[in-house]
Amino acid sequence: EVQLLESGGGLVQPGGSLRLSCTASGFTFSNYAMTWVRQAPGKGLEWVSDMTGFSGHTYYADSVRGRFTISRDNSKNTLFLQLTNLRADDTAIYYCAREDGRASDNWFDPWGQGTPVIVSS
Amino acid sequence: SYDLTQPLSVSVALGQTAAISCGGDNIGRKSVHWYQQKPGQTPVVVIYRNTNRPSGIPERFSGSNSGNTATLTISRAQTGDEADYYCQVWDNTIAMFGAGTKLTVL
């Protein structure tokens, strides 16, 4: 069974940092691009960043570029998201998801259960 | 950036057919995916590449995409279909979601 388990969320002050992790199981992790999507309280889904499997190419939403860094350790089947210079509007549930498809039109399946990030003083 | 337009809410009578639209400039040229998110749960893909249903998704769910509108259609709507539905496309290397549509089954 394919499973994704996020961790690392929590309460952080504005300007602070967090490192989120997403541990994968049930599939060959290095074969898949992986993505982070967030959802602010009561709001819709917002794509944050993704990373290809082998080549390690990374992409970011404008709202987080320069503050967030995505990375992965294929030997440990783990995806990371380093969050820095956090702002109140970064408060959200952060989901990781596997990307399926032909790279040019990937969909997200499955999703992890999410980890909450709360930015507040 | 590429904008996606979804209605805020759609209501459907029990057992009838619901249609949820996702509008975008020439969206018919893109590959559209649809996600269902029930209250308190994680999103689940219900349609990928415009018309394809993942295993485990009922045949009542179908998709279409042409011109400036993609549509998710839910036939014989059930109370268990009440959820938020999001369309998603790629704008070059950036994934875009619609704002979501809340489906209510009356």
PDB file of all heavy atoms in Angstrom, chain A residues 34-62:
ATOM      1  N   MET A  34       7.668  14.460  -6.518  1.00  0.00           N
ATOM      2  CA  MET A  34       6.874  14.654  -5.305  1.00  0.00           C
ATOM      3  C   MET A  34       6.548  16.133  -5.163  1.00  0.00           C
ATOM      4  O   MET A  34       7.326  17.007  -5.575  1.00  0.00           O
ATOM      5  CB  MET A  34       7.644  14.173  -4.078  1.00  0.00           C
ATOM      6  CG  MET A  34       7.971  12.686  -4.077  1.00  0.00           C
ATOM      7  SD  MET A  34       6.525  11.628  -3.912  1.00  0.00           S
ATOM      8  CE  MET A  34       5.961  12.052  -2.259  1.00  0.00           C
ATOM      9  N   THR A  35       5.436  16.396  -4.525  1.00  0.00           N
ATOM     10  CA  THR A  35       4.961  17.772  -4.445  1.00  0.00           C
ATOM     11  C   THR A  35       4.495  18.117  -3.041  1.00  0.00           C
ATOM     12  O   THR A  35       4.165  17.229  -2.244  1.00  0.00           O
ATOM     13  CB  THR A  35       3.812  17.979  -5.465  1.00  0.00           C
ATOM     14  OG1 THR A  35       3.735  19.321  -5.899  1.00  0.00           O
ATOM     15  CG2 THR A  35       2.463  17.562  -4.878  1.00  0.00           C
ATOM     16  N   TRP A  36       4.480  19.405  -2.723  1.00  0.00           N
ATOM     17  CA  TRP A  36       3.885  19.936  -1.497  1.00  0.00           C
ATOM     18  C   TRP A  36       2.730  20.857  -1.882  1.00  0.00           C
ATOM     19  O   TRP A  36       2.867  21.706  -2.761  1.00  0.00           O
ATOM     20  CB  TRP A  36       4.899  20.726  -0.681  1.00  0.00           C
ATOM     21  CG  TRP A  36       5.953  19.906  -0.009  1.00  0.00           C
ATOM     22  CD1 TRP A  36       7.221  19.659  -0.457  1.00  0.00           C
ATOM     23  CD2 TRP A  36       5.837  19.213   1.245  1.00  0.00           C
ATOM     24  NE1 TRP A  36       7.888  18.856   0.425  1.00  0.00           N
ATOM     25  CE2 TRP A  36       7.078  18.569   1.494  1.00  0.00           C
ATOM     26  CE3 TRP A  36       4.817  19.069   2.185  1.00  0.00           C
ATOM     27  CZ2 TRP A  36       7.304  17.804   2.633  1.00  0.00           C
ATOM     28  CZ3 TRP A  36       5.051  18.314   3.316  1.00  0.00           C
ATOM     29  CH2 TRP A  36       6.281  17.681   3.540  1.00  0.00           C
ATOM     30  N   VAL A  37       1.607  20.675  -1.198  1.00  0.00           N
ATOM     31  CA  VAL A  37       0.428  21.509  -1.374  1.00  0.00           C
ATOM     32  C   VAL A  37      -0.006  21.955   0.012  1.00  0.00           C
ATOM     33  O   VAL A  37       0.057  21.174   0.967  1.00  0.00           O
ATOM     34  CB  VAL A  37      -0.725  20.724  -2.056  1.00  0.00           C
ATOM     35  CG1 VAL A  37      -1.989  21.575  -2.133  1.00  0.00           C
ATOM     36  CG2 VAL A  37      -0.300  20.262  -3.449  1.00  0.00           C
ATOM     37  N   ARG A  38      -0.463  23.194   0.148  1.00  0.00           N
ATOM     38  CA  ARG A  38      -0.919  23.650   1.451  1.00  0.00           C
ATOM     39  C   ARG A  38      -2.359  24.143   1.388  1.00  0.00           C
ATOM     40  O   ARG A  38      -2.882  24.456   0.314  1.00  0.00           O
ATOM     41  CB  ARG A  38       0.005  24.741   2.000  1.00  0.00           C
ATOM     42  CG  ARG A  38      -0.039  26.069   1.248  1.00  0.00           C
ATOM     43  CD  ARG A  38       0.977  27.039   1.835  1.00  0.00           C
ATOM     44  NE  ARG A  38       0.962  28.329   1.153  1.00  0.00           N
ATOM     45  CZ  ARG A  38       1.770  29.340   1.451  1.00  0.00           C
ATOM     46  NH1 ARG A  38       2.684  29.206   2.428  1.00  0.00           N
ATOM     47  NH2 ARG A  38       1.682  30.477   0.789  1.00  0.00           N
ATOM     48  N   GLN A  39      -2.963  24.202   2.555  1.00  0.00           N
ATOM     49  CA  GLN A  39      -4.358  24.636   2.657  1.00  0.00           C
ATOM     50  C   GLN A  39      -4.512  25.463   3.921  1.00  0.00           C
ATOM     51  O   GLN A  39      -4.439  24.935   5.031  1.00  0.00           O
ATOM     52  CB  GLN A  39      -5.302  23.437   2.680  1.00  0.00           C
ATOM     53  CG  GLN A  39      -6.773  23.790   2.625  1.00  0.00           C
ATOM     54  CD  GLN A  39      -7.638  22.565   2.392  1.00  0.00           C
ATOM     55  OE1 GLN A  39      -7.348  21.464   2.852  1.00  0.00           O
ATOM     56  NE2 GLN A  39      -8.738  22.748   1.657  1.00  0.00           N
ATOM     57  N   ALA A  40      -4.697  26.754   3.744  1.00  0.00           N
ATOM     58  CA  ALA A  40      -4.916  27.649   4.869  1.00  0.00           C
ATOM     59  C   ALA A  40      -6.278  27.344   5.490  1.00  0.00           C
ATOM     60  O   ALA A  40      -7.168  26.806   4.825  1.00  0.00           O
ATOM     61  CB  ALA A  40      -4.844  29.097   4.405  1.00  0.00           C
ATOM     62  N   PRO A  41      -6.461  27.682   6.753  1.00  0.00           N
ATOM     63  CA  PRO A  41      -7.724  27.376   7.439  1.00  0.00           C
ATOM     64  C   PRO A  41      -8.941  27.909   6.686  1.00  0.00           C
ATOM     65  O   PRO A  41      -9.012  29.106   6.380  1.00  0.00           O
ATOM     66  CB  PRO A  41      -7.564  28.066   8.794  1.00  0.00           C
ATOM     67  CG  PRO A  41      -6.098  28.129   9.017  1.00  0.00           C
ATOM     68  CD  PRO A  41      -5.488  28.321   7.669  1.00  0.00           C
ATOM     69  N   GLY A  42      -9.853  27.023   6.352  1.00  0.00           N
ATOM     70  CA  GLY A  42     -11.069  27.409   5.670  1.00  0.00           C
ATOM     71  C   GLY A  42     -10.899  27.821   4.223  1.00  0.00           C
ATOM     72  O   GLY A  42     -11.845  28.331   3.608  1.00  0.00           O
ATOM     73  N   LYS A  43      -9.718  27.610   3.684  1.00  0.00           N
ATOM     74  CA  LYS A  43      -9.432  28.049   2.308  1.00  0.00           C
ATOM     75  C   LYS A  43      -9.206  26.848   1.382  1.00  0.00           C
ATOM     76  O   LYS A  43      -9.281  25.702   1.783  1.00  0.00           O
ATOM     77  CB  LYS A  43      -8.193  28.954   2.293  1.00  0.00           C
ATOM     78  CG  LYS A  43      -8.317  30.178   3.179  1.00  0.00           C
ATOM     79  CD  LYS A  43      -9.427  31.100   2.710  1.00  0.00           C
ATOM     80  CE  LYS A  43      -9.475  32.371   3.539  1.00  0.00           C
ATOM     81  NZ  LYS A  43     -10.595  33.262   3.120  1.00  0.00           N
ATOM     82  N   GLY A  44      -8.897  27.143   0.130  1.00  0.00           N
ATOM     83  CA  GLY A  44      -8.682  26.112  -0.866  1.00  0.00           C
ATOM     84  C   GLY A  44      -7.249  25.610  -0.896  1.00  0.00           C
ATOM     85  O   GLY A  44      -6.420  25.956  -0.063  1.00  0.00           O
ATOM     86  N   LEU A  45      -6.979  24.773  -1.892  1.00  0.00           N
ATOM     87  CA  LEU A  45      -5.664  24.168  -2.053  1.00  0.00           C
ATOM     88  C   LEU A  45      -4.729  25.112  -2.797  1.00  0.00           C
ATOM     89  O   LEU A  45      -5.126  25.752  -3.773  1.00  0.00           O
ATOM     90  CB  LEU A  45      -5.783  22.850  -2.827  1.00  0.00           C
ATOM     91  CG  LEU A  45      -6.717  21.806  -2.220  1.00  0.00           C
ATOM     92  CD1 LEU A  45      -6.872  20.623  -3.168  1.00  0.00           C
ATOM     93  CD2 LEU A  45      -6.201  21.344  -0.866  1.00  0.00           C
ATOM     94  N   GLU A  46      -3.489  25.174  -2.342  1.00  0.00           N
ATOM     95  CA  GLU A  46      -2.463  25.998  -2.999  1.00  0.00           C
ATOM     96  C   GLU A  46      -1.210  25.152  -3.189  1.00  0.00           C
ATOM     97  O   GLU A  46      -0.613  24.693  -2.223  1.00  0.00           O
ATOM     98  CB  GLU A  46      -2.133  27.243  -2.169  1.00  0.00           C
ATOM     99  CG  GLU A  46      -1.059  28.112  -2.820  1.00  0.00           C
ATOM    100  CD  GLU A  46      -0.558  29.236  -1.927  1.00  0.00           C
ATOM    101  OE1 GLU A  46      -0.820  29.227  -0.716  1.00  0.00           O
ATOM    102  OE2 GLU A  46       0.124  30.135  -2.452  1.00  0.00           O
ATOM    103  N   TRP A  47      -0.807  24.979  -4.436  1.00  0.00           N
ATOM    104  CA  TRP A  47       0.428  24.253  -4.720  1.00  0.00           C
ATOM    105  C   TRP A  47       1.618  25.088  -4.257  1.00  0.00           C
ATOM    106  O   TRP A  47       1.650  26.317  -4.445  1.00  0.00           O
ATOM    107  CB  TRP A  47       0.523  23.982  -6.215  1.00  0.00           C
ATOM    108  CG  TRP A  47       1.766  23.274  -6.635  1.00  0.00           C
ATOM    109  CD1 TRP A  47       2.014  21.932  -6.555  1.00  0.00           C
ATOM    110  CD2 TRP A  47       2.948  23.862  -7.183  1.00  0.00           C
ATOM    111  NE1 TRP A  47       3.273  21.654  -7.052  1.00  0.00           N
ATOM    112  CE2 TRP A  47       3.862  22.823  -7.434  1.00  0.00           C
ATOM    113  CE3 TRP A  47       3.314  25.168  -7.503  1.00  0.00           C
ATOM    114  CZ2 TRP A  47       5.121  23.050  -7.988  1.00  0.00           C
ATOM    115  CZ3 TRP A  47       4.559  25.401  -8.053  1.00  0.00           C
ATOM    116  CH2 TRP A  47       5.449  24.348  -8.284  1.00  0.00           C
ATOM    117  N   VAL A  48       2.589  24.414  -3.640  1.00  0.00           N
ATOM    118  CA  VAL A  48       3.736  25.112  -3.060  1.00  0.00           C
ATOM    119  C   VAL A  48       5.025  24.857  -3.845  1.00  0.00           C
ATOM    120  O   VAL A  48       5.746  25.792  -4.230  1.00  0.00           O
ATOM    121  CB  VAL A  48       3.937  24.664  -1.594  1.00  0.00           C
ATOM    122  CG1 VAL A  48       5.238  25.236  -1.012  1.00  0.00           C
ATOM    123  CG2 VAL A  48       2.745  25.082  -0.742  1.00  0.00           C
ATOM    124  N   SER A  49       5.324  23.553  -4.079  1.00  0.00           N
ATOM    125  CA  SER A  49       6.620  23.236  -4.672  1.00  0.00           C
ATOM    126  C   SER A  49       6.632  21.780  -5.095  1.00  0.00           C
ATOM    127  O   SER A  49       5.869  20.965  -4.557  1.00  0.00           O
ATOM    128  CB  SER A  49       7.729  23.469  -3.638  1.00  0.00           C
ATOM    129  OG  SER A  49       8.995  23.092  -4.136  1.00  0.00           O
ATOM    130  N   ASP A  50       7.479  21.452  -6.059  1.00  0.00           N
ATOM    131  CA  ASP A  50       7.695  20.043  -6.357  1.00  0.00           C
ATOM    132  C   ASP A  50       9.138  19.797  -6.786  1.00  0.00           C
ATOM    133  O   ASP A  50       9.910  20.731  -7.019  1.00  0.00           O
ATOM    134  CB  ASP A  50       6.692  19.502  -7.380  1.00  0.00           C
ATOM    135  CG  ASP A  50       6.935  19.973  -8.800  1.00  0.00           C
ATOM    136  OD1 ASP A  50       7.681  20.956  -8.996  1.00  0.00           O
ATOM    137  OD2 ASP A  50       6.358  19.363  -9.729  1.00  0.00           O
ATOM    138  N   MET A  51       9.473  18.508  -6.822  1.00  0.00           N
ATOM    139  CA  MET A  51      10.829  18.099  -7.136  1.00  0.00           C
ATOM    140  C   MET A  51      10.771  16.810  -7.935  1.00  0.00           C
ATOM    141  O   MET A  51      10.055  15.871  -7.557  1.00  0.00           O
ATOM    142  CB  MET A  51      11.634  17.899  -5.851  1.00  0.00           C
ATOM    143  CG  MET A  51      13.103  17.624  -6.064  1.00  0.00           C
ATOM    144  SD  MET A  51      13.979  17.696  -4.489  1.00  0.00           S
ATOM    145  CE  MET A  51      15.682  17.588  -5.047  1.00  0.00           C
ATOM    146  N   THR A  52      11.511  16.747  -9.018  1.00  0.00           N
ATOM    147  CA  THR A  52      11.531  15.543  -9.827  1.00  0.00           C
ATOM    148  C   THR A  52      12.283  14.429  -9.102  1.00  0.00           C
ATOM    149  O   THR A  52      13.008  14.663  -8.133  1.00  0.00           O
ATOM    150  CB  THR A  52      12.172  15.815 -11.194  1.00  0.00           C
ATOM    151  OG1 THR A  52      13.504  16.316 -10.982  1.00  0.00           O
ATOM    152  CG2 THR A  52      11.360  16.834 -11.972  1.00  0.00           C
ATOM    153  N   GLY A  53      12.129  13.194  -9.618  1.00  0.00           N
ATOM    154  CA  GLY A  53      12.667  12.048  -8.907  1.00  0.00           C
ATOM    155  C   GLY A  53      14.163  11.889  -9.002  1.00  0.00           C
ATOM    156  O   GLY A  53      14.875  11.908  -7.996  1.00  0.00           O
ATOM    157  N   PHE A  54      14.659  11.745 -10.242  1.00  0.00           N
ATOM    158  CA  PHE A  54      16.077  11.472 -10.433  1.00  0.00           C
ATOM    159  C   PHE A  54      16.897  12.751 -10.597  1.00  0.00           C
ATOM    160  O   PHE A  54      17.913  12.941  -9.950  1.00  0.00           O
ATOM    161  CB  PHE A  54      16.278  10.596 -11.669  1.00  0.00           C
ATOM    162  CG  PHE A  54      15.859   9.178 -11.475  1.00  0.00           C
ATOM    163  CD1 PHE A  54      14.724   8.678 -12.077  1.00  0.00           C
ATOM    164  CD2 PHE A  54      16.612   8.324 -10.679  1.00  0.00           C
ATOM    165  CE1 PHE A  54      14.342   7.365 -11.892  1.00  0.00           C
ATOM    166  CE2 PHE A  54      16.239   7.011 -10.493  1.00  0.00           C
ATOM    167  CZ  PHE A  54      15.103   6.528 -11.105  1.00  0.00           C
ATOM    168  N   SER A  55      16.418  13.609 -11.478  1.00  0.00           N
ATOM    169  CA  SER A  55      17.231  14.789 -11.818  1.00  0.00           C
ATOM    170  C   SER A  55      17.259  15.816 -10.709  1.00  0.00           C
ATOM    171  O   SER A  55      18.174  16.630 -10.631  1.00  0.00           O
ATOM    172  CB  SER A  55      16.717  15.432 -13.099  1.00  0.00           C
ATOM    173  OG  SER A  55      15.361  15.821 -12.937  1.00  0.00           O
ATOM    174  N   GLY A  56      16.236  15.781  -9.854  1.00  0.00           N
ATOM    175  CA  GLY A  56      16.220  16.708  -8.731  1.00  0.00           C
ATOM    176  C   GLY A  56      15.880  18.135  -9.089  1.00  0.00           C
ATOM    177  O   GLY A  56      16.212  19.055  -8.346  1.00  0.00           O
ATOM    178  N   HIS A  57      15.217  18.325 -10.223  1.00  0.00           N
ATOM    179  CA  HIS A  57      14.797  19.676 -10.568  1.00  0.00           C
ATOM    180  C   HIS A  57      13.711  20.128  -9.598  1.00  0.00           C
ATOM    181  O   HIS A  57      12.831  19.350  -9.220  1.00  0.00           O
ATOM    182  CB  HIS A  57      14.267  19.736 -12.001  1.00  0.00           C
ATOM    183  CG  HIS A  57      15.342  19.545 -13.018  1.00  0.00           C
ATOM    184  ND1 HIS A  57      15.200  18.716 -14.109  1.00  0.00           N
ATOM    185  CD2 HIS A  57      16.588  20.070 -13.114  1.00  0.00           C
ATOM    186  CE1 HIS A  57      16.307  18.742 -14.848  1.00  0.00           C
ATOM    187  NE2 HIS A  57      17.169  19.560 -14.250  1.00  0.00           N
ATOM    188  N   THR A  58      13.776  21.411  -9.229  1.00  0.00           N
ATOM    189  CA  THR A  58      12.833  21.947  -8.250  1.00  0.00           C
ATOM    190  C   THR A  58      12.070  23.132  -8.819  1.00  0.00           C
ATOM    191  O   THR A  58      12.603  23.887  -9.657  1.00  0.00           O
ATOM    192  CB  THR A  58      13.572  22.382  -6.974  1.00  0.00           C
ATOM    193  OG1 THR A  58      14.532  23.403  -7.313  1.00  0.00           O
ATOM    194  CG2 THR A  58      14.288  21.220  -6.322  1.00  0.00           C
ATOM    195  N   TYR A  59      10.826  23.286  -8.357  1.00  0.00           N
ATOM    196  CA  TYR A  59       9.966  24.364  -8.824  1.00  0.00           C
ATOM    197  C   TYR A  59       9.173  24.891  -7.629  1.00  0.00           C
ATOM    198  O   TYR A  59       8.855  24.140  -6.708  1.00  0.00           O
ATOM    199  CB  TYR A  59       9.019  23.851  -9.912  1.00  0.00           C
ATOM    200  CG  TYR A  59       9.756  23.224 -11.071  1.00  0.00           C
ATOM    201  CD1 TYR A  59       9.998  21.853 -11.100  1.00  0.00           C
ATOM    202  CD2 TYR A  59      10.248  24.004 -12.115  1.00  0.00           C
ATOM    203  CE1 TYR A  59      10.711  21.282 -12.153  1.00  0.00           C
ATOM    204  CE2 TYR A  59      10.957  23.432 -13.165  1.00  0.00           C
ATOM    205  CZ  TYR A  59      11.184  22.073 -13.167  1.00  0.00           C
ATOM    206  OH  TYR A  59      11.899  21.509 -14.195  1.00  0.00           O
ATOM    207  N   TYR A  60       8.860  26.188  -7.676  1.00  0.00           N
ATOM    208  CA  TYR A  60       8.206  26.836  -6.542  1.00  0.00           C
ATOM    209  C   TYR A  60       7.106  27.784  -6.992  1.00  0.00           C
ATOM    210  O   TYR A  60       7.185  28.406  -8.053  1.00  0.00           O
ATOM    211  CB  TYR A  60       9.226  27.657  -5.739  1.00  0.00           C
ATOM    212  CG  TYR A  60      10.341  26.840  -5.132  1.00  0.00           C
ATOM    213  CD1 TYR A  60      11.537  26.652  -5.810  1.00  0.00           C
ATOM    214  CD2 TYR A  60      10.181  26.232  -3.892  1.00  0.00           C
ATOM    215  CE1 TYR A  60      12.556  25.889  -5.262  1.00  0.00           C
ATOM    216  CE2 TYR A  60      11.200  25.465  -3.328  1.00  0.00           C
ATOM    217  CZ  TYR A  60      12.381  25.303  -4.036  1.00  0.00           C
ATOM    218  OH  TYR A  60      13.392  24.539  -3.494  1.00  0.00           O
ATOM    219  N   ALA A  61       6.092  27.907  -6.136  1.00  0.00           N
ATOM    220  CA  ALA A  61       5.099  28.952  -6.323  1.00  0.00           C
ATOM    221  C   ALA A  61       5.747  30.301  -6.016  1.00  0.00           C
ATOM    222  O   ALA A  61       6.668  30.389  -5.193  1.00  0.00           O
ATOM    223  CB  ALA A  61       3.913  28.718  -5.390  1.00  0.00           C
ATOM    224  N   ASP A  62       5.254  31.335  -6.667  1.00  0.00           N
ATOM    225  CA  ASP A  62       5.808  32.675  -6.458  1.00  0.00           C
ATOM    226  C   ASP A  62       5.744  33.085  -4.984  1.00  0.00           C
ATOM    227  O   ASP A  62       6.628  33.783  -4.481  1.00  0.00           O
ATOM    228  CB  ASP A  62       5.050  33.705  -7.295  1.00  0.00           C
ATOM    229  CG  ASP A  62       5.354  33.589  -8.776  1.00  0.00           C
ATOM    230  OD1 ASP A  62       6.345  32.913  -9.135  1.00  0.00           O
ATOM    231  OD2 ASP A  62       4.599  34.164  -9.585  1.00  0.00           O
TER     232      ASP A  62
END
